[in-house]
């Protein structure tokens, strides 16, 4: 790898051995992927995926202590993924004991380390850090050192920033050094599409289901999607961005997509059009039958397939302000139609702290609370990933949560029926 004089000096230890190790890590990472150089990180803020104080992450805490002691802190302020705990989220005595005394007993300590390393602020915990209310929205063309699959794919695709799918800790390394290896989705060639996906459904496809189908088909490749303009239009308004947020999270978790292009809508597709498509690109047609096939292929891992749901999570990734308002209206209408006052299933809607504050200042907040719904900034995935919650019959409309946990997937319409009417899902 060809390094600049500044980069070589860091590698040689000019700013200490800890900084030299950071640079060596980045060089080794880049060489694995054939990077020939480093490029500067140009975004204002970074984003870290590791936000949870798991007791088992001792080596991470030791590493953080070394970085802090050596003054090798982030060159940028940063946001992080959601916290794993919230007392408002339903949990029994044993679950609370395990969460606080065993699993996440280092949460307070770790958050102290994050503050010392450059945490943006007390509310900088969300997988959707790019939402306006969270204040970490990079500009088109900016180079990032982020991790968190759903945030990376959104930044690349909807915002036109440039970032590879980094792992946890590697995101921090790039921010500390101020450089990242130049390969993959940072390059013009790496951002061209090797798949053309033709959406030919008769109705607007469920974002999480469409993203799942594409992710499982193209895996880590870049898809160029045509046919969505019929449903989304050609403007990145709040509705389109919310749709693409959920769509992208599913492509990234059900596959490994780090970038997609939507014909006539996302920035690079608007600017370059079908010139983004590589010669010989593969084709994937998605119609109603294909979406049904994909949904029916999901495994049901509940011990009792006929169990009544005990908990529902909506918002993985975190919900936008518009989505929260839309769900409030839908919950009221669903309860009225069912002749009920409160939801039939305990339901947690998750959102970013900044969005939660904005929502609570609206007239929708009291109406939302009146339905019995719970509003939280928790990470549902971190709540679910333990032996006590795993056997619970939990339902969700998040394909990311379905993929990483035992939660059972339903479309948003199906979820609404189940939680407002107590209707059994099929």
């Amino acid at each position: 790898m060809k390094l600049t004089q500044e980069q070589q000096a860091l590698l040689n230890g000019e700013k200490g051995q800890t900084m030299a190790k950071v640079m060596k890590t980045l060089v080794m990472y880049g060489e694995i992927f054939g990077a020939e150089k480093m490029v500067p990180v140009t975004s204002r803020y970074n984003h870290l995926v590791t936000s949870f104080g798991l007791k088992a992450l001792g080596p991470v805490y030791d590493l953080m202590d070394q970085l802090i002691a050596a003054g090798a802190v982030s060159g940028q302020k940063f946001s992080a993924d959601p916290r794993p705990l919230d007392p408002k989220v339903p949990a029994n005595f044993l679950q609370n004991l395990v969460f606080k005394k065993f699993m996440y007993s280092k949460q307070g300590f770790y958050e102290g380390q994050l503050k010392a390393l450059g945490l943006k602020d007390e509310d900088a915990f969300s997988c959707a850090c790019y939402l306006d209310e969270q204040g970490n929205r990079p500009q088109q063309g900016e180079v990032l050192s982020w991790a968190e699959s759903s945030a990376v794919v959104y930044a690349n695709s909807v915002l036109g920033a440039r970032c590879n799918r980094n792992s946890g800790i590697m995101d921090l390394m790039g921010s500390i050094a101020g450089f990242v290896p130049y390969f993959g989705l940072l390059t013009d060639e790496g951002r061209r599409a090797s798949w053309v996906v033709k959406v030919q459904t008769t109705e607007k496809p469920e974002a999480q289901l469409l993203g799942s189908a594409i992710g499982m088909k193209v895996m880590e490749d870049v898809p160029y999607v045509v046919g969505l303009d019929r449903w989304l239009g050609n403007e990145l308004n709040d509705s389109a961005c919310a749709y693409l947020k959920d769509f992208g999270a599913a492509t990234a978790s059900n596959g490994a997509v780090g970038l997609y292009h939507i014909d006539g809508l996302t920035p690079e597709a608007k600017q370059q059009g079908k010139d983004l498509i590589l010669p010989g690109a593969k084709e994937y047609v998605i119609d109603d039958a294909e979406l049904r096939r994909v949904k029916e292929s999901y495994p049901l891992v509940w011990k009792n397939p006929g169990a009544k749901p005990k908990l529902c999570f909506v918002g993985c990734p975190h919900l936008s302000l518009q989505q929260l308002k839309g769900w409030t209206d839908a919950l009221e209408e669903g309860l009225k139609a069912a002749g009920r006052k409160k939801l039939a299933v305990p339901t947690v809607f998750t959102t970013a702290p900044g969005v939660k504050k904005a929502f609570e200042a609206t007239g929708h907040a009291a109406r939302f609370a009146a339905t019995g719904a719970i509003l939280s900034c928790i990470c549902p995935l971190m709540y679910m990933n333990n032996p006590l919650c795993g056997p619970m019959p939990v339902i969700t409309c998040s394909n990311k949560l379905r993929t990483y946990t035992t939660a059972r997937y339903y479309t948003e319409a199906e979820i609404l029926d189940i939680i407002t009417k107590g209707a059994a899902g099929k």
Side-chain angles (χ1 to χ4, degrees):
M1 186 181 293
K2 298 176 182 178
L3 301 180
T4 65
Q5 187 175 353
E6 177 188 2
Q7 294 161 359
Q8 188 65 52
L10 289 176
L11 186 61
N12 292 343
E14 188 176 274
K15 292 190 177 181
Q17 288 306 303
T18 299
M19 199 66 172
K21 289 178 182 179
V22 169
M23 198 65 187
K24 182 178 180 181
T25 301
L26 289 166
V27 169
M28 293 173 67
Y29 175 47
E31 288 179 341
I32 288 172
F33 291 96
E36 296 182 354
K37 64 178 180 179
M38 298 274 190
V39 291
V41 174
T42 58
S43 58
R44 182 180 179 189
Y45 297 116
N46 192 23
H47 183 77
L48 308 189
V49 70
T50 46
S51 61
F52 34 90
L54 280 168
K55 188 175 182 180
L57 296 181
V60 171
Y61 309 136
D62 291 342
L63 171 62
M64 298 299 199
D65 277 340
Q66 291 180 47
L67 294 170
I68 294 166
V73 298
S74 176
Q76 311 157 290
K77 294 291 185 179
F78 57 81
S79 54
D81 264 20
R83 292 181 168 107
L85 301 174
D86 184 344
K88 292 184 297 184
V89 176
N92 60 37
F93 173 80
L94 184 57
Q95 287 171 334
N96 276 323
L97 181 66
V98 169
F99 286 155
K100 295 175 182 178
K101 299 296 182 182
F102 297 99
M103 282 189 66
Y104 300 116
S105 60
K106 302 286 285 184
Q107 188 66 30
F109 169 79
Y110 183 51
E111 287 190 23
Q113 288 186 316
L114 292 179
K115 290 175 185 176
L117 283 164
L119 185 67
K120 181 173 169 283
D121 55 64
E122 290 284 344
D123 289 336
F125 289 94
S126 175
C127 53
C129 61
Y130 45 79
L131 294 173
D132 289 339
E133 295 83 359
Q134 286 302 108
N136 186 1
R137 186 183 181 90
Q139 301 298 309
Q140 183 174 358
E142 287 188 328
V143 175
L144 319 180
S145 183
W146 289 13
E148 162 56 40
S149 61
S150 67
V152 167
V153 73
Y154 189 94
N156 273 320
S157 309
V158 182
L159 304 180
R162 297 200 171 200
C163 186
N164 282 313
R165 281 178 53 116
N166 299 305
S167 64
I169 305 302
M170 193 58 69
D171 48 8
L172 181 61
M173 295 294 182
S175 186
I176 289 172
F179 304 97
V180 286
Y182 184 69
F183 70 91
L185 298 177
L186 300 188
T187 69
D188 290 342
E189 189 66 15
R191 298 178 72 84
R192 297 184 68 190
S194 55
W195 283 85
V196 175
V197 178
K198 296 182 177 179
V199 178
Q200 298 178 356
T201 55
T202 58
E203 297 179 345
K204 183 179 180 179
E206 187 89 0
Q208 298 266 5
L209 189 54
L210 179 64
S212 170
I214 293 174
M216 289 193 289
K217 188 71 170 182
V218 310
M219 296 308 290
E220 78 279 7
D221 291 341
V222 177
Y224 188 99
V225 184
V226 297
L228 269 181
D229 58 313
R230 180 181 176 190
W231 315 112
L232 301 186
N234 297 113
E235 180 185 350
L236 284 173
N237 52 29
D238 288 346
S239 178
C241 287
Y243 184 97
L244 294 179
K245 168 178 67 71
D246 295 341
F247 163 83
T251 69
S253 57
N254 287 207
V257 175
L259 165 67
Y260 58 81
H261 301 292
I262 308 296
D263 188 48
L265 184 60
T266 52
E268 287 160 284
K270 272 200 164 186
Q271 293 160 6
Q272 302 178 52
K274 293 182 172 59
D275 288 344
L276 284 167
I277 301 170
L278 289 165
K282 301 174 185 176
E283 185 177 292
Y284 178 34
V285 176
I286 299 180
D287 55 16
D288 297 339
E290 176 63 0
L291 286 186
R292 282 196 301 271
R293 182 196 68 79
V294 169
K295 186 169 182 283
E296 291 168 0
S297 74
Y298 298 154
L300 176 57
V301 294
W302 287 3
K303 288 186 176 180
N304 177 10
K308 182 179 178 181
K310 288 187 177 181
L311 187 63
C312 175
F313 277 112
V314 178
C316 178
H318 278 168
L319 297 169
S320 69
L321 181 60
Q322 185 204 49
Q323 286 177 306
L324 280 175
K325 290 179 179 179
W327 271 106
T328 301
D329 296 338
L331 293 177
E332 287 181 330
E333 291 170 7
L335 288 172
K336 183 178 180 180
R340 302 178 61 95
K341 296 292 185 182
K342 301 286 185 180
L343 297 182
V345 178
T347 304
V348 180
F349 291 79
T350 64
T351 191
V355 174
K356 183 173 182 286
K357 286 183 179 179
F359 181 68
E360 289 172 344
T362 71
H364 283 73
R367 293 163 48 200
F368 176 89
T371 68
I374 299 164
L375 185 60
S376 175
C377 299
I378 200 174
C379 173
L381 199 157
M382 288 296 104
Y383 175 94
M384 286 287 296
N385 266 337
N386 66 82
L388 292 178
C389 293
M392 288 175 58
V394 177
I395 60 175
T396 186
C397 50
S398 165
N399 238 314
K400 180 175 184 178
L401 191 62
R402 174 200 69 82
T403 302
Y404 293 139
T405 71
T406 58
R408 185 174 183 176
Y409 173 81
Y410 291 99
T411 66
E412 291 186 4
E414 290 169 336
I415 287 288
L416 184 63
D417 271 351
I418 295 170
I419 65 177
T420 58
K421 302 176 183 176
K426 294 182 180 181

